[in-house]
Amino acid sequence: MSEKDAIPEFNAKTGGASEVGITNMSALTSGPGIKSAGEIFAVVAVAVIVIGGMELLLGLLEVPQYVLPKPSEIAVALVTDFPLIAPHLGHTLVELFGGFAIGASVGLILAAVITQFPFVEKIVTPYILLLVTTPMLALVPLLILRFGFGYEPRIIAVALASGPMVMINAATGFRRVDHGKIALARSYGASTLQIFWKVRAPMALPMIFVGLMVGSIFGLLTAVGAEMVGGGFGLGNRLTSYSSMIQMPQFFAVVLILSILGILIYVLFFLLGKKYASWEA
């Protein structure tokens, strides 16, 4: 094949983002919207007002600590009890990373397969819908009976919760590709595999990142829920333990840690989207 007949590279960064037809991905690829010092100051000011207002209001109303602790009490509990909470945080992260790695890998592979072979989609789709509509926490007791109280049932539950989310979003991205680009690639003699890697995969990156973000958040929620159902370790176990002993500052400290984990997950995929799919904005 001569140089002029070579298959062109379809780099997603060269444009054509509007042709993908993906619903407003600016939330992932164009940033949270904070661009000036004034906006940053406004966000911080609102946080100070809300936290300070809660501190003052709870103090004036003399709300008992076991009902709703003050923000200062939660902060003190977070600092003083973090050495005790940290090992449980590690267990939760192991479950999340292990289950998400399995679920996301299987989800991406299935998404690629069903978009290339429609007959496979007809076979797989009913089972994917079953997984999406079934609360994974309902399966945790059964998994515990089969695999015990260790990591295995929790990792499996996380994988089952995150995998379908990744697959659905990735499959949507693989399908929403400009057919003109595919036709052009075929005219240059591109194979199905070349079209997938050079056209479909790059253009599907925004939806893939969305699927990974949603799947990881679903996985985090499932991991915590599974820890609350059974087992003696993990942040979910700490929530159950602290609530049963009415240690509400420690309880809300764990809730705060989980919120920070969720924010970090968003920031991670925002940065990845900004680096690899900013053309979609």
Side-chain angles (χ1 to χ4, degrees):
M1 181 180 293
S2 64
E3 182 177 352
K4 68 177 182 178
D5 294 328
I7 299 170
E9 294 288 338
F10 291 89
N11 191 336
K13 294 183 179 180
T14 60
S18 60
E19 297 175 352
V20 183
I22 298 171
T23 304
N24 192 8
M25 283 293 299
S26 60
L28 180 62
T29 59
S30 62
I34 301 174
K35 299 180 176 65
S36 68
E39 290 173 329
I40 295 176
F41 175 78
V43 172
V44 174
V46 170
V48 171
I49 292 173
V50 171
I51 295 174
M54 289 183 60
E55 183 80 17
L56 181 61
L57 185 62
L58 292 174
L60 292 176
L61 297 179
E62 298 182 351
V63 178
Q65 186 187 78
Y66 60 82
V67 175
L68 184 62
K70 300 176 183 178
S72 60
E73 295 171 337
I74 297 174
V76 170
L78 178 62
V79 173
T80 57
D81 285 35
F82 188 76
L84 300 176
I85 298 174
H88 296 277
L89 172 60
H91 294 309
T92 300
L93 291 178
V94 169
E95 299 159 9
L96 175 60
F97 291 152
F100 178 69
I102 296 172
S105 300
V106 174
L108 288 173
I109 293 172
L110 285 177
V113 171
I114 66 175
T115 52
Q116 299 301 311
F117 305 99
F119 73 95
V120 176
E121 181 178 10
K122 297 178 181 180
I123 299 174
V124 173
T125 298
Y127 300 101
I128 297 299
L129 292 177
L130 183 64
L131 288 176
V132 171
T133 57
T134 301
M136 285 302 106
L137 293 181
L139 301 179
V140 172
L142 179 62
L143 294 173
I144 290 176
L145 286 175
R146 174 62 181 84
F147 297 101
F149 289 92
Y151 284 118
E152 291 84 355
R154 305 178 186 189
I155 291 177
I156 293 174
V158 171
L160 292 175
S162 59
M165 297 295 104
V166 176
M167 194 214 77
I168 291 173
N169 285 276
T172 301
F174 289 141
R175 288 194 186 96
R176 292 185 177 181
V177 177
D178 182 15
H179 293 289
K181 291 183 174 63
I182 295 178
L184 179 61
R186 292 189 191 281
S187 70
Y188 276 89
S191 65
T192 300
L193 185 60
Q194 287 175 316
I195 292 174
F196 178 82
W197 284 115
K198 295 186 179 183
V199 182
R200 291 187 182 275
M203 299 300 291
L205 280 178
M207 288 303 297
I208 291 175
F209 286 132
V210 170
L212 293 174
M213 180 175 64
V214 174
S216 58
I217 291 175
F218 268 70
L220 176 61
L221 297 177
T222 301
V224 174
E227 292 166 350
M228 296 177 71
V229 171
F233 55 88
L235 294 180
N237 172 265
R238 289 296 87 197
L239 289 174
T240 303
S241 177
Y242 288 141
S243 62
S244 64
M245 294 185 292
I246 321 181
Q247 293 180 309
M248 302 315 292
Q250 290 80 0
F251 177 89
F252 281 101
V254 175
V255 172
L256 180 59
I257 292 174
L258 291 172
S259 299
I260 294 173
L261 280 178
I263 293 172
L264 291 176
I265 288 173
Y266 169 80
V267 170
L268 171 64
F269 289 107
F270 157 68
L271 293 176
L272 290 175
K274 186 175 181 180
K275 181 176 182 180
Y276 296 106
S278 58
W279 49 268
E280 177 60 22

